Amino acid sequence: MIIKSADFICSNTQISRLPIPIKPEFAFIGRSNVGKSSLINMLVQKKGLAKTSQTPGKTQLINHFMVNELWYIVDLPGYGYAKISKSKKEDWNKFIRSYLDKRESLQCVMVLIDSRLEPQKIDLEFCSWLGEKGLPFVLVFTKADKQSNIKTDQNIAKFRKAILTTFEEAPQHFITSSETLMGRDEILEFIDGINRDFTPPVFDEEYYKPMK
């Protein structure tokens, strides 16, 4: 897939004000500081499209970016972020899960995992929730350039083993680096394959009131 354009469309917390669900969407989510914004910018080769920050939990809204005027990257708030109130966290969790569970045009959830870490409980629990809801997802291991290939492979093997305690088979995974572009072609090819078979879903037109 050749990326010709990537543009910010909207940012909000109201599902009803998201773009009309007639184009395929791919949601990117992971723990705070997993490198989500850097990965999105790397995929579309547009520095600064998704805002990067040294402060975990900076993304607090649902952000839609249209790619090639054909499909959306959806940047979701990270889970496990620090320094926010419990009530705020519960509100964010509610609208994130509502989006994931009810969005008609969502094609796949790209779950970002820091390849440098041993399996984290919060990542495994989130994957289990996706499985319970029957939502398609893949694993995207980030920051592979920060360590040896052997260490990356070891951590991925541990994560796959851990996830197999609740899944019959481990989901497809990608190994990435925002610095070296590792995994870029593979992820875009994966998305392109899904887009080719996309059929616009049936949805309640009265429900959606997109932002002007």
Side-chain angles (χ1 to χ4, degrees), residues 133-153:
K133 293 294 184 179
L135 295 169
F137 71 97
V138 296
L139 304 174
V140 180
F141 290 93
T142 63
K143 305 183 181 183
D145 61 293
K146 306 299 184 184
Q147 62 186 357
S148 68
N149 293 340
I150 292 176
K151 185 61 177 176
T152 296
D153 290 342

Side-chain angles (χ1 to χ4, degrees), residues 8-26:
F8 171 77
I9 301 299
C10 66
S11 180
N12 63 80
T13 61
Q14 294 179 259
I15 308 301
S16 63
R17 302 195 71 180
L18 297 180
I20 301 297
I22 57 174
K23 298 181 186 295
E25 299 185 5
F26 296 82

